[in-house]
């Protein structure tokens, strides 16, 4: 075990095998488990999956190839894999009310690429939210293949409100005639008017795609409006608010099923990751329970209270607050850059992102803001009372980012605080 901390394997023969075979990696995994236990994790795209989801991802399904789709495979031995993938598909369709689902995309970016391959030719125009305003790389940002091989045009938020300006969206769409319009993003704290986007897309004859990766769990739990009735295609990762494994899904109208399926396989991918498919199925079953709906509503309630706690302490929130799980803070008025704040908070036991804010004069690698959210803390049972405490800790550290003794004392206090809120899937005790 060398110089590392003492390692206590959980009572699981597979873990014991890992510890015996490769103690270096075993120790690092356990160290990460301990880190996830002892910190307040506020990265809005992260969560804690259940032990059931973890068990499925760590299963023998990783041994199996299954190119194709259930009933139409290029490999033998699919007796059980077909049933697993079919269960995942049916659960996805039922949970989100979709006519078609594809659960094979490896993750969010390849999932979004499948939309391009299904509907566009290279050089066609794609319209998405600008990355610094909260969009995603794959919605046509310059450095992404989607901005290099297609012609990107963009919309953003208004400077005075921090919210999407639908008049601007309509103007850009009419002027640029995109073939594909994206809604959704990675730093959007407000509800998106999916119906209005669909109307604009219909006016210009564009395909309307929504990337609901951040909010999929809130939608599943009934705590956020759904894009499914309005969009031609909806993409999502499965590991954010939805609380599944690292994977992705496409949902669409039946008319687009064939072209999307062909785009995923054989257009972009080979064999699906069957262990992920099984874990997606498990997560979707969990997401259909009343307990998940309670969680989804609590995520939003917690975010609102955390946002209010920050506003009360003089923080400048983009759009003034939140409707979902995510809060974007412009730290300019606090006189500290986002990265310095995020690093100081991490040392103090609070993990969040440094992030650009709309119209940010600073560079993306050293921006003006921080991005935080409540999915993970809600999954471990923290409620509105705890959000007030978290806002207080954030304020203390951001006000004294170089005070290392304060950071160390706060980290200890937070580790102790976290012990009262056992996290799903975290078994380590020492
Ligand atoms: N990496 C994701 C996020 O953190 O929002 C987006 O791809």
């Amino acid at each position: 075990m060398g110089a590392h901390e003492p390692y206590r394997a959980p009572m699981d023969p597979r873990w014991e095998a890992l510890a015996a075979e490769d103690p270096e990696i075993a120790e690092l995994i356990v160290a990460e488990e301990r880190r996830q236990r002892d910190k307040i994790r506020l990265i809005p795209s992260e969560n804690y999956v259940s032990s059931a989801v973890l068990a499925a991802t760590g299963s023998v399904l990783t041994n199996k190839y299954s190119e194709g789709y259930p009933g139409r495979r290029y490999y033998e031995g699919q007796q059980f894999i077909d049933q697993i993938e079919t269960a995942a598909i049916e659960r996805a369709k039922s949970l989100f009310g979709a006519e078609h689902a594809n659960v094979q995309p490896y993750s969010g970016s390849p999932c979004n690429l499948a939309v391009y391959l299904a509907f566009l030719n290279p050089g066609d125009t794609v319209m998405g939210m600008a990355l610094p305003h909260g969009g995603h790389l794959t919605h046509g940002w310059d450095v992404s293949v989607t901005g290099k091989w297609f012609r990107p045009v963009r919309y953003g938020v208004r400077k005075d409100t921090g919210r999407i300006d639908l008049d601007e969206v309509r103007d850009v769409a009419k002027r640029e005639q995109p073939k594909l319009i994206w809604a959704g993003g990675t730093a959007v704290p407000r509800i998106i008017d999916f119906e209005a986007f669909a109307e604009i897309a219909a006016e210009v004859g564009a395909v309307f795609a929504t990337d609901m990766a951040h909010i999929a769990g809130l939608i599943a739990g009934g705590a956020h409006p759904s894009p499914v009735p309005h969009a031609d295609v909806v993409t999502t990762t499965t590991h954010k608010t939805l609380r599944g494994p690292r994977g992705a899904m496409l949902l669409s109208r039946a008319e687009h099923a064939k072209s999307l399926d062909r785009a995923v396989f054989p257009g972009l991918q080979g064999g699906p990751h069957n262990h992920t498919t099984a874990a997606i199925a498990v997560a979707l079953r969990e997401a259909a329970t009343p307990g998940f709906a309670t969680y989804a509503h609590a995520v939003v309630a917690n975010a609102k209270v955390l946002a209010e706690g920050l506003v009360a302490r003089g923080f400048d929130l983009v759009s003034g607050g939140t409707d979902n799980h995510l809060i974007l803070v412009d730290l300019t008025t606090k006189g500290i850059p986002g990265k310095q704040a995020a690093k100081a908070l991490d040392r103090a036991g609070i993990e969040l992102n440094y992030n650009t804010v709309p119209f940010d004069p600073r560079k993306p690698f050293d921006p003006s803001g921080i991005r935080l959210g409540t999915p993970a803390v809600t999954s471990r049972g923290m409620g509105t009372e705890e959000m007030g405490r978290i806002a207080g800790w954030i304020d203390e550290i951001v006000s004294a980012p170089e005070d290392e003794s304060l950071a160390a004392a706060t980290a200890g206090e937070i580790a102790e605080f976290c012990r009262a809120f056992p996290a799903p899937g975290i078994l380590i005790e020492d």
Side-chain angles (χ1 to χ4, degrees):
M1 299 281 158
H4 296 283
E5 294 172 61
Y7 168 61
R8 217 177 98 205
M11 295 303 290
D12 175 340
R14 288 180 180 160
W15 271 100
E16 281 167 19
L18 175 61
E21 181 68 30
D22 193 337
E24 182 186 355
I25 295 300
E27 280 184 24
L28 290 170
I29 292 173
V30 170
E32 171 62 15
E33 186 166 333
R34 193 179 286 118
R35 192 194 69 81
Q36 291 187 15
R37 181 195 64 188
D38 291 346
K39 278 199 164 177
I40 293 175
R41 299 177 56 231
L42 296 175
I43 291 179
S45 47
E46 294 184 353
N47 215 323
Y48 295 94
V49 298
S50 67
S51 292
V53 169
L54 282 177
T57 49
S59 69
V60 296
L61 300 182
T62 198
N63 298 339
K64 188 75 195 105
Y65 253 119
S66 311
E67 286 183 13
Y69 289 101
R72 297 175 282 130
R73 305 281 191 186
Y74 292 85
Y75 285 71
E76 288 311 311
Q78 307 299 336
Q79 292 84 353
F80 307 109
I81 299 295
D82 273 5
Q83 293 182 59
I84 288 166
E85 187 169 335
T86 302
I89 290 168
E90 292 308 319
R91 289 175 188 182
K93 284 162 61 180
S94 156
L95 184 65
F96 291 104
E99 291 174 0
H100 175 67
N102 184 313
V103 295
Q104 292 195 6
Y106 296 145
S107 202
S109 297
C111 188
N112 288 353
L113 280 183
V115 176
Y116 289 83
L117 187 57
F119 296 113
L120 270 60
N121 290 309
D124 282 346
T125 301
V126 55
M127 179 170 156
M129 193 176 199
L131 185 69
H133 285 228
H136 189 257
L137 282 166
T138 56
H139 300 176
W141 197 240
D142 295 346
V143 295
S144 155
V145 65
T146 61
K148 289 178 190 285
W149 290 4
F150 302 91
R151 187 180 83 88
V153 295
R154 294 173 190 120
Y155 60 88
V157 295
R158 286 174 61 112
K159 201 166 190 174
D160 55 344
T161 62
R163 295 175 188 242
I164 293 170
D165 180 344
L166 285 164
D167 291 334
E168 184 205 349
V169 175
R170 178 173 275 104
D171 288 348
V172 178
K174 285 194 161 157
R175 190 176 67 236
E176 304 290 350
Q177 295 291 306
K179 213 164 159 186
L180 170 65
I181 297 178
W182 283 105
T186 61
V188 182
R190 295 296 183 178
I191 286 171
I192 297 168
D193 188 341
F194 300 119
E195 197 172 352
F197 265 91
E199 279 168 20
I200 293 168
E203 282 172 35
V204 300
V207 170
F208 174 40
T210 297
D211 181 341
M212 66 167 185
H214 264 260
I215 50 177
L218 307 184
I219 293 164
H224 191 287
S226 172
V228 173
H230 308 293
D232 294 294
V233 54
V234 175
T235 66
T236 184
T237 52
T238 46
H239 48 267
K240 297 187 173 89
T241 48
L242 190 55
R243 221 162 56 181
R246 300 298 291 249
M249 300 190 305
L250 281 164
L251 305 171
S252 78
R253 299 196 175 129
E255 65 189 284
H256 302 310
K258 258 194 182 153
S259 50
L260 286 164
D261 282 355
R262 277 200 205 116
V264 174
F265 172 84
L268 287 164
Q269 299 186 174
H273 294 175
N274 295 312
H275 53 302
T276 302
T277 305
I280 289 174
V282 174
L284 291 170
R285 189 173 192 274
E286 292 175 352
T289 60
F292 192 90
T294 304
Y295 145 82
H297 285 90
V299 168
V300 177
N302 279 344
K304 284 181 187 292
V305 172
L306 182 53
E308 283 161 15
L310 292 171
V311 168
R313 289 167 175 84
F315 285 87
D316 177 14
L317 272 51
V318 173
S319 83
T322 181
D323 297 328
N324 53 35
H325 65 302
L326 183 144
I327 299 163
L328 191 58
V329 183
D330 185 344
L331 289 175
T332 308
T333 54
K334 290 279 183 186
I336 173 173
K339 195 176 199 169
Q340 189 189 355
K343 289 200 173 296
L345 286 162
D346 192 55
R347 289 193 294 276
I350 295 178
E351 185 189 1
L352 43 66
N353 295 110
Y354 57 87
N355 214 90
T356 46
V357 293
F359 310 97
D360 202 328
R362 300 177 66 90
K363 299 248 184 292
F365 206 57
D366 189 13
S368 299
I370 49 174
R371 184 187 75 150
L372 60 157
T374 51
V377 288
T378 306
S379 288
R380 62 192 298 176
M382 294 182 193
T384 48
E385 198 177 313
E386 285 72 41
M387 297 307 114
R389 252 188 114 177
I390 292 172
W393 275 317
I394 291 174
D395 188 34
E396 275 169 33
I397 298 300
V398 166
S399 305
E402 284 163 12
D403 186 339
E404 292 308 326
S405 56
L406 174 68
T410 307
E413 204 181 331
I414 284 175
E416 199 48 45
F417 166 82
C418 284
R419 285 185 185 246
F421 301 94
I426 303 281
L427 301 178
I428 189 164
E429 285 168 3
D430 61 355

